[in-house]
Amino acid sequence: MTNDFRVEWRVSAEKADYDAAIGFMERRVAEIAAGEARELVWMVEHQPLYSAGTSARQEDLLDPNRFPVFQTGRGGEFTYHGPGQRVGYVMLDLNRRGRDVRQYVRNLEEWIIVALASFGVVGERRDGRVGIWVARSQPGGLPGREDKIAAIGVRLRRWVSFHGISVNVAPDLSHYDGIVPCGISEYGVTSLADLGIDATLADMDASLEIAFKQVFQTELLRPSEG
C-alpha cells in the first residue's frame, strides 16, 4: 500500500448509527496516521439528530428534546443530520497533502460547489459564513435571500482529517427548526428538493465522486476493487 495512494470510496446502504460512525472514524484515523490503512471517503445517512461542534452555544439548541443531541469534536456549532441528507466523512492524510488546513477546507468547499453544478445549482462561498450557500431570487429576478445547502465541519488528529461535509438533497427542512444552524439565524437552509430538483442520494453520490477526483486530483478505490 506504500506506493498505492488511491483513496477508498465507500457508500453505506443502511443508515449509520452516529456514535458507531464516530468510533469508526476514530479508529480509521489512527490506522491512517500509523500507515496501516488507506485514506477513506465514507458516504452515510443518519437518523434525525443534532450534533454540537466545539463552538456550539447552548442557546442555539432551541428544542433539546426533539432529536438526540451529540457532542462532537469537530469544528463549528450546531448542525442537523437526517434522512435525505448526504454526509461525507473524509479521512485524508494531510501530511502528504501539504499540511494546509485552509486549503483543505477550501478544497472541501470546491468539491461541493463542483458537485452542485452538475445539478444546475450555483453554490457559493461567503466570507465569515462556513458552508456553501445558494442565492435565491425573487419574482422578476430581484435579489432574494441566501440559504445554506451544505455544511462543513472538520477535525484533525496527527494531520489526518475526519468529520467532513453534509449536503441537503431532500431532507425534511423543518427539522432544522430545533437549532440555530451553525449559529447563524439571519439565513435559511435549502436543499435540491427545495430548489425544485428531483435527485436521489445516489445521484448526489455520483456527482460527488466525480467532483472529488477532479478537485483532490486523486484516484478512488472501491472496497470490492481490492
Side-chain angles (χ1 to χ4, degrees):
M1 198 173 73
T2 303
N3 298 317
D4 184 354
F5 295 133
R6 290 177 295 175
V7 175
E8 181 181 343
W9 180 271
R10 183 183 300 183
V11 179
S12 288
E14 304 296 328
K15 291 183 177 61
D17 176 82
Y18 191 76
D19 276 335
I22 298 300
F24 173 84
M25 281 195 289
E26 296 268 357
R27 294 188 297 274
R28 185 66 174 241
V29 164
E31 292 167 356
I32 293 170
E36 298 171 352
R38 189 183 300 277
E39 296 171 298
L40 171 66
V41 178
W42 183 27
M43 294 293 162
V44 305
E45 185 182 23
H46 290 299
Q47 295 289 359
L49 64 93
Y50 297 133
S51 71
T54 54
S55 301
R57 299 173 297 183
Q58 194 60 33
E59 60 267 29
D60 288 340
L61 181 59
L62 305 178
D63 188 353
N65 299 315
R66 185 166 188 178
F67 298 126
V69 180
F70 294 87
Q71 301 295 321
T72 181
R74 62 161 174 80
E77 304 185 51
F78 280 104
T79 194
Y80 164 78
H81 294 316
Q85 180 193 74
R86 179 51 88 207
V87 176
Y89 291 130
V90 186
M91 289 151 269
L92 297 183
D93 187 356
L94 300 192
N95 288 293
R96 63 189 193 201
R97 296 176 182 272
R99 286 194 176 191
D100 188 333
V101 179
R102 286 188 178 182
Q103 185 59 51
Y104 172 62
V105 172
R106 188 164 185 84
N107 286 343
L108 292 177
E109 293 170 339
E110 188 66 17
W111 176 29
I112 299 167
I113 290 170
V114 172
L116 289 173
S118 69
F119 297 95
V121 174
V122 179
E124 299 176 323
R125 300 176 176 90
R126 288 291 182 266
D127 289 341
R129 287 189 260 141
V130 179
I132 300 302
W133 300 80
V134 175
R136 312 291 294 270
S137 60
Q138 296 178 350
L142 297 174
R145 68 181 191 274
E146 292 182 345
D147 291 339
K148 190 171 189 175
I149 195 169
I152 297 172
V154 303
R155 186 177 182 183
L156 298 179
R157 180 172 298 152
R158 295 173 61 185
W159 286 100
V160 179
S161 69
F162 55 125
H163 296 278
I165 69 165
S166 61
V167 184
N168 289 340
V169 179
D172 184 340
L173 295 180
S174 72
H175 289 180
Y176 281 91
D177 294 346
I179 57 172
V180 177
C182 301
I184 302 172
S185 59
E186 309 95 289
Y187 302 93
V189 290
T190 190
S191 66
L192 291 183
D194 185 50
L195 295 171
I197 298 167
D198 184 14
T200 65
L201 291 184
D203 295 331
M204 177 55 70
D205 292 341
S207 293
L208 286 169
E209 183 174 359
I210 293 169
F212 188 89
K213 290 187 285 188
Q214 175 183 328
V215 172
F216 285 89
Q217 294 291 290
T218 190
E219 293 184 47
L220 297 175
L221 175 75
R222 294 182 179 277
S224 60
E225 297 172 341

